[in-house]
C-alpha cells in the first residue's frame, strides 16, 4: 500500500516527480496536513490524467492553510479531522501517525511518501529528519529538489537518470553524532572506500564520468546500519528496501 502524505512547506513541483512515481507506484491513500492541502491540490490537478491525488483525509489545526474555511468547504466533512492548535505535535507528525494507523488497520505492507516540509523553519526541518529514527518515519521524503530514502540494512538501490551535476549524498539516521555502518557502492565519483566513518558518510557525491558516459546506474547496497540516501527528485530509482514488500 502506497500512502502519500502532503505537509506544509516547500515541495517539489509536480512535473519534476514523474520518475519518482514510476519508481514507486500510484498512491492508494492520500493524506493532506494543514497547508499541505495546497500541494495536494497542485498534484491532483497536474496528474489528474495519470494518478489520483485527491485527499482521502485532511487533518491539522489549519493555522497555516490559506483561506482555510473556503478551501475546506470543497470537501465532505467526513474527510476533515480538525486538531486543536494548542498541542505539542506538528501536523506532519499527526499525518504520519494517521498514515501508519491506516496501513495497520488495512493489514498491508506500507510504503509512505512524505511530500513537502522543505525550507522555512529550521526546527520543523530537524523535526522531520528526526522522524526517520522513530516509528513515524516515512519511507521517502520529497523535499524541494531532493528525495530522501530511508535505507535500512539489506536495502539495495540502482539510481539512473542523473548527471554529474546532480548531488548524491548519504547520511546516517542518527545524524552528525553517528558512526559505524557500512555501504557498498559502484558508479560514484568517490566510492564507498572514501566514505567518512563519522557523521555524513558522503556529501555532494555524484555519478562517475564512466557510468554517466556509458549510461550505467549508480548502485548502492546497505550492508550494516541504517542510512538516508539523498538523490535528486528527478532520479529514476529502482529500490529493494529491507522490510517492505
Amino acid at each position: 500500500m502506497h500512502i502519500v502524505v502532503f505537509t506544509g512547506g516547500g515541495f517539489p513541483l509536480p512535473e519534476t516527480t514523474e520518475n519518482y512515481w514510476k519508481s514507486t507506484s500510484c498512491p492508494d491513500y492520500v493524506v493532506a496536513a494543514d497547508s499541505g492541502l495546497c500541494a495536494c491540490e497542485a498534484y491532483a490537478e497536474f496528474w489528474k490524467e495519470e494518478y489520483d491525488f485527491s485527499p482521502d483525509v485532511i487533518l491539522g489545526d489549519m493555522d497555516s492553510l490559506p483561506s482555510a474555511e473556503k478551501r475546506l468547504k470543497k470537501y465532505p466533512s467526513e474527510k476533515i479531522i480538525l486538531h486543536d492548535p494548542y498541542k505539542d505535535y506538528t501536523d506532519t507528525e499527526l499525518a504520519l501517525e494517521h498514515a501508519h494507523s491506516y496501513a495497520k488497520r488495512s493489514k498491508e505492507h506500507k510504503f509512505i511518501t512524505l511530500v513537502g516540509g522543505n525550507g522555512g523553519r529550521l526546527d520543523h526541518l530537524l523535526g522531520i529528519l528526526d522522524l526517520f529514527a522513530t516509528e513515524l518515519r516515512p519511507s521517502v521524503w520529497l523535499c524541494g529538489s531532493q528525495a530522501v530514502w530511508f535505507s535500512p540494512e539489506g536495502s539495495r538501490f540502482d539510481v539512473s537518470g542523473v548527471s554529474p551535476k546532480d548531488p548524491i549524498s548519504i547520511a546516517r539516521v542518527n545524524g552528525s553524532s553517528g558512526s559505524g555502518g557500512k555501504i557498498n557502492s559502484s558508479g560514484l565519483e568517490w566510492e564507498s572506500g572514501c566514505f567518512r566513518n563519522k557523521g555524513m558518510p558522503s556529501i555532494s557525491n555524484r555519478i562517475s564520468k564512466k557510468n554517466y558516459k556509458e549510461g550505467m546506474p549508480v548502485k548502492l547496497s546497505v550492508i550494516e546500519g541504517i542510512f538516508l540516501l539523498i538523490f535528486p527528485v528527478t532520479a529514476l530509482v529502482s529500490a529493494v528496501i529491507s522490510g517492505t514488500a
Side-chain angles (χ1 to χ4, degrees), residues 104-181:
K104 186 176 181 179
R105 292 195 303 270
S106 300
K107 297 180 180 179
E108 294 188 41
H109 289 284
K110 60 182 178 289
F111 187 92
I112 299 176
T113 298
L114 176 64
V115 183
N118 188 55
R121 289 174 51 178
L122 178 60
D123 52 350
H124 282 177
L125 187 69
L126 293 175
I128 293 176
L129 280 173
D130 276 353
L131 287 174
F132 283 101
T134 75
E135 292 184 354
L136 292 182
R137 60 180 170 263
S139 307
V140 182
W141 175 25
L142 303 184
C143 55
S145 62
Q146 295 178 299
V148 182
W149 289 71
F150 179 74
S151 311
E153 186 173 308
S155 301
R156 304 188 307 276
F157 297 82
D158 284 13
V159 186
S160 56
V162 293
S163 78
K165 294 182 179 180
D166 293 320
I168 295 173
S169 298
I170 302 169
R172 290 182 170 86
V173 165
N174 48 3
S176 59
S177 62
S179 62

Side-chain angles (χ1 to χ4, degrees), residues 29-121:
Y29 189 76
V30 177
V31 182
D34 204 315
S35 60
L37 181 59
C38 300
C40 181
E41 290 177 339
Y43 274 64
E45 174 61 26
F46 184 86
W47 290 112
K48 60 186 176 183
E49 301 298 329
E50 289 87 0
Y51 307 115
D52 182 7
F53 281 102
S54 56
D56 293 287
V57 66
I58 303 163
L59 57 77
D61 54 29
M62 309 305 167
D63 64 343
S64 59
L65 178 64
S67 306
E69 185 176 351
K70 180 180 179 181
R71 195 181 293 266
L72 292 175
K73 281 183 178 179
K74 298 187 295 183
Y75 300 96
S77 59
E78 59 267 23
K79 285 191 173 186
I80 301 170
I81 304 173
L82 294 177
H83 289 270
D84 191 326
Y86 191 70
K87 63 187 188 309
D88 194 30
Y89 294 93
T90 66
D91 291 323
T92 303
E93 290 175 296
L94 294 172
L96 287 170
E97 182 179 41
H98 179 90
H100 282 278
S101 296
Y102 180 82
K104 186 176 181 179
R105 292 195 303 270
S106 300
K107 297 180 180 179
E108 294 188 41
H109 289 284
K110 60 182 178 289
F111 187 92
I112 299 176
T113 298
L114 176 64
V115 183
N118 188 55
R121 289 174 51 178

Side-chain angles (χ1 to χ4, degrees), residues 18-35:
E18 180 178 3
N19 280 339
Y20 179 75
W21 307 116
K22 288 180 180 178
S23 296
T24 54
S25 64
C26 59
D28 299 301
Y29 189 76
V30 177
V31 182
D34 204 315
S35 60

